């Protein structure tokens, strides 16, 4: 199964991706996670990406496309993949089409997670993540059992640098201008499904399982 999760920041892409990945045993490929790992490791890619990420803008297409061309050809992606945060521009979507054509692969579905801006701002200002394993928490809905300590790995649970209200609002604007047009792009290909991501995590999970189950 090859799926794209499309949606604004805070729609719950990372949260739901973990469920889908576990159920269908496919690779979860998050461009945001790969970029943050590069920033942390101080690679050339991380150094180039950091300023765009901190400001809530998009990292240039040529960097992202090169990164994903190699990631999608790694072994674990052969059994199927779930893309979280990619593509985000029409240039990235066209590059993905070209790569999949060359590899003889097809997308099964693009799932749009739809949610209102005020819900996004509330979710992201209260989001915390484990700096070691990436487990996602929320100070209101899912705090770690011990303050600032990851339940899973004992790592430090922190707030992402781009989860301030001003940067979240910039990310929402960037989503509307550069990523939202992809909804129409994939609708025209006949593979778009839309799920209301406003409800509780388990109800969104049930909606997605229903959508993917038909594939
Ligand atoms: P990225 O890491 O992809 O960030 P994003 O798309 O802004 O998405 P988020 O990770 O903020 O949100 P999410 O939808 O995964 O929500 P989550 O599940 O965590 O990208 C970061 C940056 O990297 C970009 O700004 C850009 O600079 C760069 N970048 C990445 N990809 C790029 C690309 N392709 N091209 C160019 N640049 C790129 O949930 C959020 C919170 O809500 C959590 O606390 C969670 O517990 C809670 N929550 C989730 N679902 C629910 C629910 N149903 N009810 C209540 N709470 C919920």
């Amino acid at each position: 199964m090859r799926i794209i999760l499309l949606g604004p920041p805070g729609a719950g892409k990372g949260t739901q991706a973990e469920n889908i990945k576990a159920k269908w045993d496919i690779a979860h490929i998050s461009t945001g996670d790969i970029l943050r790992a590069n920033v942390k490791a101080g690679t050339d890619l991380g150094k180039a990406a950091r300023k765009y990420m901190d400001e809530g803008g998009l990292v240039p297409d040529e960097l992202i496309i090169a990164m994903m061309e190699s990631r999608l050809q790694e072994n674990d992606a052969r059994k199927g993949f779930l893309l979280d945060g990619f593509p985000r521009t029409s240039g990235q979507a066209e590059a993905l089409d070209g790569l999949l054509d060359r590899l003889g692969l097809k997308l099964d579905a693009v799932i749009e997670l739809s949610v209102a801006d005020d819900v996004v701002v509330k979710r992201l200002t209260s989001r915390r993540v484990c700096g070691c394993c990436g487990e996602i928490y929320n100070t209101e809905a899912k705090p770690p059992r011990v303050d600032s300590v990851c339940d899973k790995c004992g790592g430090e649970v922190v707030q992402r640098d781009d989860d301030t209200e001003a940067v979240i609002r910039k990310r929402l604007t960037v989503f509307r201008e550069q990523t939202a047009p992809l909804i129409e792009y994939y609708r025209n290909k006949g593979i778009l499904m839309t799920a209301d991501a406003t409800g509780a995590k388990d109800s969104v999970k049930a909606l997605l399982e229903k959508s993917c189950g038909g594939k």
Side-chain angles (χ1 to χ4, degrees):
M1 176 125 63
R2 286 174 288 273
I3 306 174
I4 293 175
L5 271 187
L6 189 65
K13 301 183 295 297
T15 301
Q16 298 302 333
E18 285 305 307
N19 296 325
I20 296 176
K21 168 194 164 183
K23 190 166 170 71
W24 278 278
D25 188 26
I26 54 181
H28 169 202
I29 303 178
S30 155
T31 41
D33 287 349
I34 300 173
L35 290 168
R36 278 184 291 279
N38 275 274
V39 170
K40 199 171 170 186
T43 65
D44 289 344
L45 172 61
K47 285 177 193 151
R50 181 166 197 158
K51 70 172 180 337
Y52 300 101
M53 298 172 76
D54 284 350
E55 288 166 3
L58 293 184
V59 176
D61 276 0
E62 61 271 23
L63 295 178
I64 298 291
I65 291 166
M67 175 180 104
M68 289 303 280
E69 289 229 350
S70 88
R71 180 63 187 90
L72 285 171
Q73 295 181 72
E74 286 178 25
N75 272 344
D76 67 334
R78 290 205 183 136
K79 58 188 176 185
F81 51 73
L82 171 68
L83 302 182
D84 160 5
F86 176 85
R88 254 169 150 111
T89 64
S90 52
Q92 292 179 19
E94 284 158 15
L96 176 63
D97 285 349
L99 176 65
L100 293 177
D101 274 353
R102 291 200 297 284
L103 298 174
L105 300 174
K106 265 181 61 182
L107 285 172
D108 293 297
V110 176
I111 302 175
E112 177 206 359
L113 293 178
S114 127
V115 65
D117 285 8
D118 55 341
V119 176
V120 163
V121 172
K122 192 159 178 248
R123 282 183 187 175
L124 291 185
T125 49
S126 56
R127 172 169 61 183
R128 301 292 181 270
V129 289
C130 173
C132 288
C133 71
E135 180 71 1
I136 303 169
Y137 294 94
N138 191 283
T139 54
E140 293 183 20
K142 186 196 165 194
R145 283 193 293 271
V146 177
D147 192 28
S148 303
V149 179
C150 179
D151 297 349
K152 267 194 170 171
C153 75
E156 190 186 4
V157 174
V158 295
Q159 184 166 29
R160 265 172 48 176
D161 291 341
D162 60 350
D163 276 348
T164 60
E165 182 162 349
V167 178
I168 294 164
R169 294 211 179 269
K170 168 82 189 294
R171 286 157 63 200
L172 282 166
T173 302
V174 168
F175 174 80
R176 263 190 295 278
E177 290 174 357
Q178 301 198 52
T179 309
L182 298 187
I183 295 168
E184 209 47 41
Y185 181 84
Y186 287 115
R187 184 177 286 125
N188 289 338
K189 287 179 181 283
I191 53 172
L192 183 83
M193 299 180 215
T194 300
D196 181 355
T198 315
K201 288 177 197 173
D202 283 349
S203 65
V204 179
K205 179 181 169 192
L207 267 176
L208 294 190
E209 287 184 356
K210 217 168 128 198
S211 306
C212 297
K215 287 284 144 193

